[in-house]
Amino acid sequence: MEDQVPLSERYLKTMGRRMTPQRRLVVDILSQAEGHLDATDIYERGRRQDARLSLATVYRTLNILKEAGVVRELHLDDEHHHYELDHQDKHSHLICLSCGRVIEVDSTAFAEAAETIGQLYDFRIASAHVELTGYCADCRRKQEMTD
Amino acid sequence: MEDQVPLSERYLKTMGRRMTPQRRLVVDILSQAEGHLDATDIYERGRRQDARLSLATVYRTLNILKEAGVVRELHLDDEHHHYELDHQDKHSHLICLSCGRVIEVDSTAFAEAAETIGQLYDFRIASAHVELTGYCADCRRKQEMTD
DNA sequence: ATGCAAATGCGAACTATTCTCAAATACATC
DNA sequence: GATGTATTTGAGAATAGTTCGCATTTGCAT
């Protein structure tokens, strides 16, 4: 994963915002993470590198990065949000209502549909997110066995 | 909008749950609503018909209906969730990061893509939801004027 | 180098949502 | 139609994710 900081800095500058060590840290942590992290994950990892990082700053940073289109906010469960860097490979999530498992799906089909819709509605898309909720194969099998 | 209660009752029974006046009420309110409602909206409207309805029951009912695939939970903003009946015309939402406006989009393109993905991953889709966040035409225009 | 708006840290505050538990009730069975 | 029981409900307390307030620090334009 290449360094995302310079790109993020450009986005911030565009919005009249500053790049700070804390924001750099959050972006770094998100680029090094494989999947999606929640705010506490980011906070804990951040503290290992900078003991002065506060949770409020993590939240503020995530919101700003979200508005800048750098970060995508996911609603995978009802506990709290998860965040991931918003790469252009817009992918979707299959969320099992029974076991909560999250399956990631790369989908160019969705990306293309999103593109079309954006143009149609004169809407500049910063981030696309598809949630398909339902029941995974495992849970369906278990369900059938108890019938 | 036809009566959604019998259908919902079938879904509930399948899950080994009971139909109650409160659940009927929630389904009724959602079918009569044009767009998406939040839990408090539903609670307030429900109280007008049944003064004994409690907010906890509204939340419980919404979660059960969500698991049954009757209701879809939306994450339009960070304040709280919104809910709507999950009709098969899976539509998407364009959410403006600047003014918060929500534009509803009917999209068969997305529905078809969802179908394909579901089959590919052996996942029974109960509900599909697409969120495209970005900037609407109005906000982009305003933004340009202040540059 | 300087000034100031923007950002931070800390803890308190807020608020959406869930939990607890006794009382009420849907509904399968008789 | 009556009965028994597991489910559901209401009310308020509890929880937890997220934001706020404000004094202090700091990025960065000049």
Side-chain angles (χ1 to χ4, degrees), chain B residues 4-13 16-28 61 65 70:
Chain B
Q4 297 290 328
V5 171
L7 179 65
S8 308
E9 182 156 4
R10 278 213 305 284
Y11 277 108
L12 288 174
K13 287 284 167 59
R17 320 214 75 131
R18 298 172 178 172
M19 177 52 88
T20 67
Q22 292 87 342
R23 290 177 182 171
R24 233 185 296 276
L25 191 51
V26 170
V27 173
D28 258 345
T61 299
L65 293 175
V70 174

Side-chain angles (χ1 to χ4, degrees), chain A residues 66-67 73 75 78 94-95 105 110 117 121-124 126-135 137 140, chain B residues 66-67 73 75 78 94-95 105 110 117 121-124 126-135 137 140:
Chain A
K66 180 177 70 173
E67 280 174 36
E73 184 181 72
H75 309 266
D78 292 346
L94 307 180
I95 305 163
V105 175
F110 278 123
I117 301 259
Y121 285 81
D122 193 10
F123 190 90
R124 189 171 77 65
S127 173
H129 179 225
V130 178
E131 285 176 11
L132 305 176
T133 51
Y135 296 92
R140 296 210 311 284
Chain B
K66 180 177 71 174
E67 281 175 34
E73 183 181 74
H75 308 266
D78 292 346
L94 307 179
I95 306 163
V105 175
F110 278 123
I117 301 257
Y121 285 80
D122 193 10
F123 190 89
R124 189 171 77 65
S127 172
H129 180 225
V130 178
E131 286 176 10
L132 304 175
T133 51
Y135 296 92
R140 295 211 311 284

Side-chain angles (χ1 to χ4, degrees), chain B residues 84-126:
Chain B
E84 64 185 18
L85 279 190
D86 193 351
H87 298 299
Q88 291 321 313
D89 61 324
K90 325 210 170 194
H91 62 259
S92 359
H93 292 99
L94 307 179
I95 306 163
C96 182
L97 284 165
S98 179
C99 64
R101 173 187 316 191
V102 176
I103 304 166
E104 306 223 343
V105 175
D106 278 306
S107 165
T108 51
F110 278 123
E112 283 161 16
E115 200 62 39
T116 307
I117 301 257
Q119 285 173 9
L120 197 60
Y121 285 80
D122 193 10
F123 190 89
R124 189 171 77 65
I125 295 173

Side-chain angles (χ1 to χ4, degrees), chain A residues 21-79:
Chain A
Q22 291 87 340
R23 290 177 182 173
R24 232 185 296 275
L25 191 51
V26 170
V27 172
D28 259 344
I29 288 168
L30 284 170
S31 5
Q32 282 161 32
E34 312 242 327
H36 38 263
L37 302 177
D38 62 31
T40 307
D41 291 335
I42 296 168
Y43 173 63
E44 285 171 358
R45 297 186 191 197
R47 293 285 287 207
R48 296 211 278 267
Q49 289 188 242
D50 178 356
R52 296 182 329 142
L53 181 66
S54 81
L55 188 55
T57 296
V58 171
Y59 276 110
R60 277 187 292 234
T61 300
L62 288 170
N63 278 333
I64 287 166
L65 293 176
K66 180 177 70 173
E67 280 174 36
V70 174
V71 152
R72 184 170 8 187
E73 184 181 72
L74 308 173
H75 309 266
L76 302 177
D77 56 41
D78 292 346
E79 318 276 303

